[in-house]
Amino acid sequence: MKNVVTRFAPSPTGRLHLGHAYSALLAHDHARAHDGIMLLRIEDIDPGRARSAHIDGIIEDLLWLGIEPDGEIAYQSERLALYAEALGRLKGLGLVYPCFCTRAGIAAEIAASVSAPHGPDGLVYPGTCRRLSVEERERRLRDEPHAWRLDVGKALEFPGESRGALSWHDSTAGEIIAHPERFGDVVLARKDAPTSYHLAVTVDDAAQGVTDVIRGTDLFASTDIHRLLQALLGLPTPHYHHHPLLTDGEGRRLAKRNGAPAIADLRGAGANPEELAANLRAGILPAGYSVAGA
Ligand code: GLU
């Protein structure tokens, strides 16, 4: 049997809150129950938001909760060459194109169009830069900042696995048929970062041998994109477990902006970590919080 490898992959844009702790405990416990390992991966590709002080804080919070990750901590900011290599392969296959659009330009184009399809992540990119002539593309590539987008239509026509019905398995929802086209042409490398969440997470889960991806249902739909990238890049598909999100008394998912308490605050207020972890495992949350749908 394959050894189980799980991971907890926070973006260091703040301290961990209860929702993160819940997710990390699930990943940790799944690994321990199967004699496997749990990796910690810091998803610090966002140059504007990632902070090293948050990274130290996240590690401290996990250890306080009794979650000791295995092996070396991986930092996405140190793995950019891997993502560049994957993007280079997709460029070589002709499945990505540079996008020079600004947010404002995209919004204006959508506002002026008759149909504005919505995908799981909001309005779908109208494909403006997909239609540029080769000459214009070459000229603008020389001196304009650009992102790289996946040509999803072309990717789904690409000979090989991606052409057939792609599916993946979720431990709760079962077999899922992927429909990555609902997202439109997603960004694989941003103007301000040489990768995007979708590309980095797909490359890393494969490179780190992750067998079981445990994360919140907010990322359920994104798995369709990851599945397509796996097919295009010849990477294995892990098992997925998308867990319900924790919500506050008003049914809002936990987030710092909604006033969710940070683990550090609970600790400062004298919470007992064993008790907190045991309660989270049992789905018992501090007063006013609940597990969505439970
Ligand atoms: N870094 C992502 C987050 O903090 C999670 C990525 C994942 O688990 O796939 O929301």
Side-chain angles (χ1 to χ4, degrees):
M1 214 183 79
K2 216 162 153 198
N3 287 338
V4 165
V5 180
T6 67
R7 63 9 172 229
F8 176 56
S11 307
T13 54
R15 291 298 286 258
L16 301 186
H17 56 55
L18 284 170
H20 295 116
Y22 180 63
S23 199
L25 280 167
L26 290 180
H28 169 268
D29 292 358
H30 186 80
R32 294 291 172 266
H34 293 85
D35 209 11
I37 58 171
M38 185 200 103
L39 305 173
L40 173 61
R41 186 170 71 225
I42 302 293
E43 304 215 321
D44 55 350
I45 53 166
D46 194 328
R49 298 177 67 214
R51 298 265 182 285
S52 59
H54 294 321
I55 299 176
D56 296 341
I58 287 172
I59 297 167
E60 219 173 88
D61 294 342
L62 290 175
L63 293 177
W64 181 74
L65 280 165
I67 301 174
E68 203 167 324
D70 298 300
E72 297 260 301
I73 299 174
Y75 294 88
Q76 287 194 325
S77 59
E78 293 173 3
R79 301 165 65 82
L80 301 180
L82 277 178
Y83 317 137
E85 193 264 339
L87 183 68
R89 281 169 59 199
L90 297 172
K91 281 183 193 169
L93 297 173
L95 298 177
V96 292
Y97 60 87
C99 175
F100 307 96
C101 294
T102 59
R103 264 176 215 272
I106 296 173
E109 176 146 355
I110 288 174
S113 66
V114 238
S115 77
H118 256 87
D121 272 350
L123 287 164
V124 168
Y125 176 65
T128 323
C129 287
R130 188 178 59 232
R131 293 185 286 270
L132 295 182
S133 67
V134 178
E135 295 72 34
E136 179 168 2
R137 198 170 273 170
E138 292 301 319
R139 179 175 55 73
R140 295 178 69 179
L141 261 179
R142 282 195 288 273
D143 49 25
E144 278 186 47
H146 52 275
W148 287 90
R149 288 183 182 273
L150 179 67
D151 185 334
V152 176
K154 211 164 164 190
L156 289 170
E157 285 302 310
F158 190 71
E161 197 199 1
S162 56
R163 204 167 185 170
L166 289 174
S167 66
W168 52 274
H169 191 269
D170 180 83
S171 63
T172 310
E175 198 69 9
I176 304 296
I177 303 295
H179 289 290
E181 66 283 359
R182 291 180 301 153
F183 284 82
D185 292 347
V186 288
V187 169
L188 295 187
R190 295 166 18 176
K191 276 185 189 170
D192 64 344
T195 182
S196 70
Y197 161 66
H198 293 306
L199 183 63
V201 85
T202 306
V203 167
D204 278 344
D205 283 338
Q208 296 187 287
V210 172
T211 60
D212 294 75
V213 171
I214 296 171
R215 60 185 176 197
T217 47
D218 52 330
L219 293 168
F220 191 99
S222 294
T223 308
D224 286 4
I225 295 284
H226 306 165
R227 182 67 189 87
L228 173 58
L229 291 173
Q230 286 155 7
L232 297 172
L233 294 166
L235 303 175
T237 301
H239 283 107
Y240 290 89
H241 172 78
H242 291 96
H243 60 74
L245 300 178
L246 304 192
T247 56
D248 66 14
E250 278 142 59
R252 296 176 304 190
R253 61 183 276 201
L254 297 195
K256 216 163 108 205
R257 63 178 179 282
N258 295 336
I263 298 300
D265 298 334
L266 298 171
R267 179 164 133 205
N272 174 324
E274 282 88 22
E275 202 181 309
L276 180 66
N279 282 341
L280 279 172
R281 285 186 168 103
I284 304 166
L285 300 173
Y289 296 94
S290 51
V291 180

